[in-house]
């Protein structure tokens, strides 16, 4: 498997505290292992699309030859058994039973080379395909699919008008291909993928040889053809029930959730998210990789991967003030995948691999970025303690959630560590101190609450004791005293008060 050789870790002979293990991949390791110069793919066992198809046809021809030889041998044995059965009826029954047993053993021992070579998913046969077809989606999904399909069909027809007569031929071939695929629902997803790849190749060759269409127009035509047929086929071939794509999706999502504790420093990611511009680029990269699942056309899914990768390169360039290298890009892509946890990641990768125009995966930036994404997923699936420069004990504790990575002491930083990493650990230290202060405040508040309750209970008890010891007696009111200026009947014979007199001078 290509992913086993795509990652080699650089070991630096340094002090144990500053020793780091980086993720390194050479450009040659991304190419087809047959040496043709195109990009390989882990889903194709490290081959490019062209070499993979050649190997597929060789394996299929070999399997067909083995099937013919087995059929001829079984026929000869059947004829011999029939001839020997003419002797006696009992001998006939015995021979026929032995023949049936031998035939069954032959079929059991038969090795299906194609399935073994491609490691295809287990098939459940036509019965499961019928169950899948019988499932009717909700009316809202039908309306949405119909609107998008009609829009794409109109755009495709308008596009083909610019090709005149070749456009008519292309449209007829596309309609014939869709009709053929509708009658091949019971085939495995690998066989349907092979039909699509053959169709791409035949149309491209006919455009180049028969209609003499320029290469740039052939590429545009193939993009529109892929968009048209895959929009109509999407709900049948994306994550079908006859495969284990959904099971792989759940396994990858569970794996990524378990690795939530992985820090950029463990992966040697040269990105400083403390810089606002870099942080925005990281968010955009995560958004693009998540948006991939909303697209229906393989080329559109590839475009999301490409946009995500370009944001990663810009983030690295802004952080380091220099162009990013492949050794910087792959660890950052792994970090983005871990942080974003894209939905149905394996299903999207398999869908692109099976039904994308193979020329896009073999060359160009789309093929390069897609190959790196496949490598990133393979690395995540096989990530271990050694990959992160951790002890197995620490790795197991982090994976089980018993603890989380602690901050790095300032004296253990190597001289070449960027300021962003140091600032991050300072922030972690500050958060840890704030957490301790918060815990102390909460404990003191609980203690104060308890003291207030105890004090209130004590005062209440003292008041009750005093009231019981010295009960309060309420006496009746005494007769009120007369006021000084009140009427006095006994003194009513007193002389009148002196009146003022006026003297004339």
């Amino acid at each position: 498997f290509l992913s086993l050789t795509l990652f080699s870790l650089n070991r630096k002979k340094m002090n144990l505290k500053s020793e780091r293990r980086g993720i390194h991949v050479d450009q040659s390791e991304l190419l087809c292992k047959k040496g043709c110069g195109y990009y390989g793919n882990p889903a194709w066992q490290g081959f490019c699309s062209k070499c993979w198809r050649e190997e597929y046809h060789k394996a299929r021809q070999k399997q067909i030859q083995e099937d013919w030889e087995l059929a001829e041998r079984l026929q000869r044995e059947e004829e011999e058994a029939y001839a020997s059965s003419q002797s006696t009826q009992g001998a006939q029954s015995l021979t026929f039973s032995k023949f049936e047993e031998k035939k069954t053993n032959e079929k059991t021992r038969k090795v299906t080379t194609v399935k073994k070579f491609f490691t295809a998913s287990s098939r459940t046969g036509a019965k499961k395909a019928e169950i899948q077809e019988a499932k009717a989606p909700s009316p809202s999904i039908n309306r949405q699919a119909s609107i998008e399909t009609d829009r794409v069909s109109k755009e495709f027809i308008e596009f083909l008008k610019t090709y005149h007569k070749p456009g008519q031929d292309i449209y007829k071939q596309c309609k014939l291909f869709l009709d053929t695929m509708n009658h091949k629902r019971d085939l495995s997803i690998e066989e349907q993928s092979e039909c699509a790849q053959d169709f791409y190749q035949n149309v491209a060759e006919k455009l180049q040889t028969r209609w003499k269409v320029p290469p740039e127009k052939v590429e545009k035509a193939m993009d529109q053809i892929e968009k048209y047929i895959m929009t109509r086929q999407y709900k049948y071939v994306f994550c079908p029930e006859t495969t284990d794509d959904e099971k792989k999706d759940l396994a990858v999502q569970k794996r990524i959730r378990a690795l939530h504790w992985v820090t950029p420093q463990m992966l040697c990611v040269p990105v400083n998210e403390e810089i606002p511009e870099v942080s925005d680029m990281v968010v955009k990269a995560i958004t693009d990789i998540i948006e991939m699942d909303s697209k229906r056309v393989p080329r559109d899914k590839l475009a999301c991967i490409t946009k995500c990768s370009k944001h990663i390169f810009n983030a690295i360039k802004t952080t380091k003030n220099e162009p990013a290298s492949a050794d910087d890009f792959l660890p950052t892509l792994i970090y983005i995948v871990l942080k974003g946890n894209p939905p149905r990641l394996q299903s999207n990768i398999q869908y692109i691999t099976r039904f994308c125009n193979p020329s896009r995966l073999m060359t160009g930036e789309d093929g390069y970025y897609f190959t790196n994404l496949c490598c990133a997923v393979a690395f995540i699936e096989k990530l271990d303690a050694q990959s992160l420069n951790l002890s197995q004990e620490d790795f197991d504790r982090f994976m089980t959630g018993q603890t989380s990575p602690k901050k790095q002491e300032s004296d253990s930083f190597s001289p070449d560590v960027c300021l962003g990493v140091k600032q991050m650990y300072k922030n972690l230290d500050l958060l840890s101190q704030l957490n301790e202060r918060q815990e102390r405040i909460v404990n003191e508040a609980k203690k104060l609450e308890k003291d207030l309750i105890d004090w209130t209970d004590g005062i209440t008890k003292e008041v009750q004791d005093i009231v019981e010891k010295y009960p309060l007696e309420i006496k009746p009111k005494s007769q009120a005293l007369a006021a000084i200026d009140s009427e006095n009947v006994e003194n009513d014979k007193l002389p009148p008060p002196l009146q003022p007199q006026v003297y004339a001078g």
Side-chain angles (χ1 to χ4, degrees):
F1 195 74
L2 180 61
S3 61
L4 297 178
T5 60
L6 285 177
F7 305 97
S8 58
L9 303 176
N10 294 334
R11 298 185 177 180
K12 300 179 181 180
K13 297 181 179 179
M14 301 172 58
N15 189 351
L16 182 59
K17 292 184 178 180
S18 61
E19 181 182 359
R20 298 299 305 166
R21 189 181 302 276
I23 303 172
H24 174 72
V25 56
D26 293 329
Q27 181 72 15
S28 59
E29 295 176 336
L30 299 176
L31 301 177
C32 175
K33 66 181 183 181
K34 201 171 182 179
C36 64
Y38 296 118
Y39 288 119
N41 194 314
W44 294 328
Q45 306 295 325
F47 293 103
C48 67
S49 176
K50 181 180 179 181
C51 297
W52 177 249
R53 286 168 59 81
E54 292 176 356
E55 297 294 331
Y56 174 85
H57 287 300
K58 289 180 182 178
R60 186 166 61 177
Q61 292 298 327
K62 182 179 179 181
Q63 180 62 36
I64 292 174
Q65 183 64 28
E66 291 179 355
D67 290 343
W68 274 107
E69 293 176 356
L70 177 61
E72 292 176 354
R73 184 166 68 254
L74 292 176
Q75 184 176 2
R76 288 196 303 268
E77 293 176 355
E78 186 176 358
E79 292 174 353
E80 293 174 357
Y82 177 76
S84 61
S85 65
Q86 299 301 320
S87 57
T88 59
Q89 184 66 25
Q92 176 184 2
S93 176
L94 181 60
T95 305
F96 182 77
S97 63
K98 289 183 177 181
F99 162 71
E100 286 294 324
E101 181 180 358
K102 186 174 183 180
K103 181 178 178 180
T104 303
N105 292 336
E106 284 287 346
K107 290 184 177 180
T108 304
R109 292 194 303 268
K110 174 183 173 183
V111 178
T112 307
T113 307
V114 175
K115 291 185 178 180
K116 182 179 179 181
F117 182 77
F118 288 97
T119 61
S121 303
S122 58
R123 295 180 55 191
T124 58
K127 181 177 180 180
K128 196 164 186 178
E130 293 174 359
I131 296 175
Q132 181 180 3
E133 291 181 2
K135 289 185 176 181
S138 63
S140 60
I141 296 178
N142 276 333
R143 287 195 296 270
Q144 181 180 1
S146 178
I147 293 173
E148 185 171 359
T149 300
D150 292 341
R151 179 180 59 80
V152 171
S153 299
K154 292 178 181 178
E155 293 177 356
F156 185 58
I157 293 174
E158 291 296 325
F159 172 79
L160 292 179
K161 289 181 180 178
T162 60
Y163 282 70
H164 305 292
K165 192 172 182 179
Q168 298 177 2
D169 189 24
I170 291 173
Y171 185 74
K172 291 180 181 179
Q173 292 189 46
C174 290
K175 294 292 290 183
L176 180 61
F177 171 76
L178 291 174
D179 293 339
T180 303
M181 291 296 291
N182 288 333
H183 292 87
K184 292 184 177 181
R185 297 279 181 247
D186 58 337
L187 294 181
S188 68
I189 195 64
E190 287 78 17
E191 292 171 321
Q192 296 184 52
S193 171
E194 183 68 14
C195 293
Q197 299 298 328
D198 289 338
F199 174 73
Y200 289 146
Q201 183 177 357
N202 294 335
V203 173
E205 291 177 354
K206 184 173 290 186
L207 287 173
Q208 293 175 352
T209 58
R210 181 177 178 181
W211 299 108
K212 308 299 181 182
V213 178
E216 61 275 5
K217 295 192 68 176
V218 171
E219 183 177 356
K220 292 181 180 179
M222 295 306 300
D223 289 341
Q224 292 296 324
I225 291 171
E226 176 189 313
K227 182 178 181 180
Y228 174 68
I229 64 174
M230 295 316 303
T231 300
R232 301 176 68 95
Q233 293 292 312
Y234 176 80
K235 63 180 180 180
Y236 302 111
V237 297
F238 182 84
C239 191
E241 292 184 359
T242 54
T243 66
D244 58 350
D245 292 350
E246 184 177 2
K247 182 179 178 181
K248 292 180 179 178
D249 290 334
L250 296 176
V252 171
Q253 283 196 339
K254 183 178 179 181
R255 175 70 173 174
I256 292 176
R257 284 196 297 268
L259 294 170
H260 66 91
W261 49 268
V262 176
T263 63
Q265 292 70 39
M266 294 179 180
L267 297 171
C268 298
V269 175
V271 169
N272 182 10
E273 296 186 65
E274 295 297 325
I275 303 175
E277 185 179 358
V278 175
S279 178
D280 292 341
M281 292 177 185
V282 170
V283 172
K284 290 179 181 178
I286 294 175
T287 303
D288 289 333
I289 198 67
I290 292 176
E291 188 182 1
M292 174 180 63
D293 185 59
S294 65
K295 305 299 181 181
R296 303 182 69 176
V297 183
R299 177 173 173 265
D300 293 341
K301 293 181 182 291
L302 275 179
C304 292
I305 299 174
T306 301
K307 288 191 297 183
C308 169
S309 302
K310 289 184 177 180
H311 287 310
I312 291 175
F313 272 107
N314 291 333
I316 298 173
K317 182 179 180 181
T318 304
T319 301
K320 299 180 64 176
N321 291 324
E322 62 182 21
S325 63
D327 290 341
D328 295 331
F329 170 68
L330 185 57
T332 311
L333 178 60
I334 294 172
Y335 173 67
I336 293 297
V337 174
L338 288 175
K339 195 169 183 179
N341 197 358
R344 301 193 293 184
L345 183 57
Q346 282 288 6
S347 291
N348 282 287
I349 291 177
Q350 291 295 332
Y351 177 69
I352 295 172
T353 302
R354 292 164 181 160
F355 297 101
C356 183
N357 186 357
S359 62
R360 285 195 170 274
L361 302 183
M362 294 164 59
T363 58
E365 60 179 8
D366 288 342
Y368 174 77
Y369 295 140
F370 179 71
T371 302
N372 275 275
L373 177 62
C374 295
C375 296
V377 176
F379 178 84
I380 292 172
E381 291 176 338
K382 299 181 180 300
L383 188 144
D384 55 11
Q386 186 179 8
S387 304
L388 300 176
N389 195 36
L390 297 173
S391 65
Q392 188 62 43
E393 182 181 357
D394 290 341
F395 182 83
D396 293 338
R397 288 206 309 267
F398 296 157
M399 289 294 291
T400 56
Q402 297 178 1
T403 184
S404 59
K406 296 181 179 179
K407 68 181 183 67
Q408 186 171 353
E409 300 298 335
S410 58
D411 58 350
S412 63
F413 284 114
S414 58
D416 57 344
V417 173
C418 65
L419 295 176
V421 175
K422 296 181 180 179
Q423 183 63 38
M424 186 199 68
Y425 282 111
K426 289 180 180 178
N427 294 337
L428 291 176
D429 188 16
L430 178 60
L431 288 174
S432 178
Q433 294 177 7
L434 291 174
N435 185 43
E436 293 177 358
R437 290 180 57 187
Q438 179 69 15
E439 291 180 354
R440 288 199 301 268
I441 290 174
V442 171
N443 294 332
E444 292 293 335
K446 291 180 178 179
K447 183 180 178 181
L448 177 60
E449 182 182 10
K450 184 177 182 301
D451 292 342
L452 288 174
I453 294 174
D454 295 340
W455 178 80
T456 304
D457 294 341
I459 294 297
T460 303
K461 187 175 184 305
E462 290 180 6
V463 171
Q464 291 177 351
D465 293 342
I466 292 174
V467 170
E468 292 176 357
K469 186 175 181 180
Y470 304 102
L472 180 63
E473 296 181 1
I474 301 176
K475 297 180 179 181
K477 294 182 178 180
S478 60
Q479 187 175 2
L481 298 176
I484 296 177
D485 57 349
S486 62
E487 294 183 358
N488 193 342
V489 181
E490 297 178 356
N491 300 328
D492 56 353
K493 296 180 179 181
L494 291 175
L498 296 177
Q499 299 294 329
Q501 295 181 4
V502 180
Y503 294 94

